Amino acid sequence: MNIAPGIAVIPVPIPYPFKYVNCYLLLGDGAVLVDCALDTPEARPALEAALAQHGLKFADLDRLVLTHHHPDHYGLAGLIEAEGVPVYLLDVELERGHPFWTEPEAMNRTGLELFRRHGVPEEALSNLGREMAKTRSRVHAPRNPRAFREGEVLELAGQRWRVIWTPGHADGHAMLLRESDGVLLAGDHVLERISPNIGVWAYSYPNPLGLYLESLEKAKGLEVSLALPGHYRPLKDFKGRIEELAAHHHERLDYLLGLMNGQPKTCWELSLKLFPGELNTAQRRFAWSETLAHLEYLLQAGRIRKETMGETIVYGV
């Protein structure tokens, strides 16, 4: 379905709560795919079938451009690259996000150690390890990805798109703006129904929430007529949604401060209070990482303190 001139949206099913990832096919002088879902029995055939409706196979694409390295946007990249299609990422993501998939042993080791130091119990660590192994089985990293840079203008299917670096959801998250008409491929920077996960990981920048709030202000200054996000529906009131997301995070920061009474607590303990209820392993992992991002933001702002008790990190007011 054409969602804007020269752009077809391809909703691909994924095994996550938002159910679909929006891949975008740029058509004109050639064909370029932006994001590519992950390798599941549902996702890959759905993407192939959608391309076939345009008379295309993977090998017919001129490029695959990735907004960031998360599995639902990146997972099929290696298989598409093997068909002779060049794969592109922002240079920051190539250096910081891409190695998560190409150096699994080191990333698993440092990731689990970070969880452990922040109070995640051993049973949860075992579950996290199994969850990550399943995710890795669905991801095919490209072998020779190429880089583009912040501010660069890319010629994609005969269209000119400016690269906008928006760290926060991922260190090297990139949006693409077609300045001729204000259409924005927003990735996961701004979403309609949910707040994108902003989390601290072993390999990420230490204060991603600070970067995300700065990136929201940066995006607010863009001339956007229509934002096409990685999940859910297009956004017409792009600036209004940015204001809602910024307000949401400031409210969560205040709420988290209210939870930090009495004795210092681990990030795991606080995450159970900030995100109560029954969550599956993947959701609990994201809840923990988002809690840590908010704690580190408060720490950088001088509003809380951080200390080590034995080998465990705790936070207090």
Side-chain angles (χ1 to χ4, degrees):
M1 180 181 80
N2 276 19
I3 200 162
I7 307 172
V9 60
I10 302 175
V12 180
I14 52 175
Y16 301 131
F18 22 74
K19 297 184 179 178
Y20 292 88
V21 61
N22 293 326
C23 303
Y24 293 98
L25 181 63
L26 309 183
L27 297 165
D29 183 9
V32 172
L33 185 65
V34 178
D35 289 339
C36 62
L38 70 173
D39 192 9
T40 67
E42 298 78 26
R44 184 176 174 183
L47 181 57
E48 290 175 325
L51 291 174
Q53 290 179 358
H54 297 273
L56 300 169
K57 302 185 296 294
F58 286 153
D60 298 319
L61 297 170
D62 298 312
R63 294 192 200 186
L64 169 63
V65 176
L66 305 173
T67 58
H68 58 300
H69 78 286
H70 292 166
D72 50 327
H73 297 259
Y74 169 104
L76 284 167
L79 295 182
I80 295 174
E81 181 191 57
E83 297 291 331
V85 180
V87 177
Y88 287 80
L89 282 160
L90 187 75
D91 53 0
V92 178
E93 197 71 330
L94 186 58
E95 295 169 6
R96 302 186 62 85
H98 175 64
F100 180 80
W101 303 109
T102 59
E103 302 170 19
E105 291 184 7
M107 290 295 173
N108 287 346
R109 183 173 61 253
T110 57
L112 289 174
E113 180 57 25
L114 182 69
F115 291 134
R116 183 176 288 109
R117 293 203 68 203
H118 282 280
V120 179
E122 288 299 323
E123 181 181 356
L125 286 174
S126 297
N127 292 337
L128 287 169
R130 287 191 291 271
E131 181 69 25
M132 281 311 305
K134 184 168 74 172
T135 298
R136 287 186 179 279
S137 72
R138 297 165 166 172
V139 171
H140 306 277
R143 293 177 178 272
N144 299 293
R146 308 179 190 189
F148 51 81
R149 299 178 303 281
E150 153 76 351
E152 184 177 352
V153 175
L154 305 178
E155 289 281 347
L156 304 175
Q159 307 168 29
R160 292 171 59 84
W161 295 86
R162 185 171 298 280
V163 176
I164 314 293
W165 178 36
T166 49
H169 179 65
D171 290 353
H173 187 282
M175 302 193 302
L176 299 173
L177 177 63
R178 192 164 66 184
E179 293 174 309
S180 62
D181 61 0
V183 173
L184 179 74
L185 299 177
D188 283 358
H189 186 54
V190 178
L191 299 175
E192 174 201 22
R193 293 169 51 189
I194 63 170
S195 169
N197 176 255
I198 310 300
V200 173
W201 309 102
Y203 62 99
S204 69
Y205 289 132
N207 185 14
L209 181 55
L211 291 172
Y212 181 66
L213 293 172
E214 292 174 5
S215 294
L216 286 179
E217 281 300 308
K218 177 180 179 180
K220 196 174 174 181
L222 301 174
E223 293 298 324
V224 175
S225 61
L226 181 67
L228 304 178
H231 307 279
Y232 304 121
R233 296 178 302 182
L235 297 162
K236 293 184 178 179
D237 185 9
F238 182 64
K239 292 181 181 179
R241 183 58 181 148
I242 286 174
E243 292 171 355
E244 290 174 353
L245 287 169
H248 163 79
H249 283 291
H250 287 295
E251 289 170 3
R252 297 296 276 174
L253 289 165
D254 290 340
Y255 183 67
L256 180 58
L257 273 174
L259 296 174
M260 298 178 66
N261 50 14
Q263 293 293 102
K265 297 178 177 65
T266 66
C267 176
W268 177 256
E269 291 172 318
L270 289 165
S271 74
L272 297 175
K273 295 178 179 293
L274 190 62
F275 296 92
E278 292 296 322
L279 300 180
N280 64 31
T281 299
Q283 291 168 331
R284 183 52 64 191
R285 173 174 170 263
F286 286 124
W288 171 88
S289 72
E290 182 130 352
T291 303
L292 186 55
H294 284 70
L295 287 168
E296 288 296 316
Y297 179 91
L298 290 170
L299 181 71
Q300 293 297 320
R303 300 176 70 183
I304 63 172
R305 69 182 192 278
K306 176 181 179 179
E307 56 189 274
T308 302
M309 299 177 64
E311 295 184 351
T312 304
I313 295 169
V314 295
Y315 296 85
V317 293

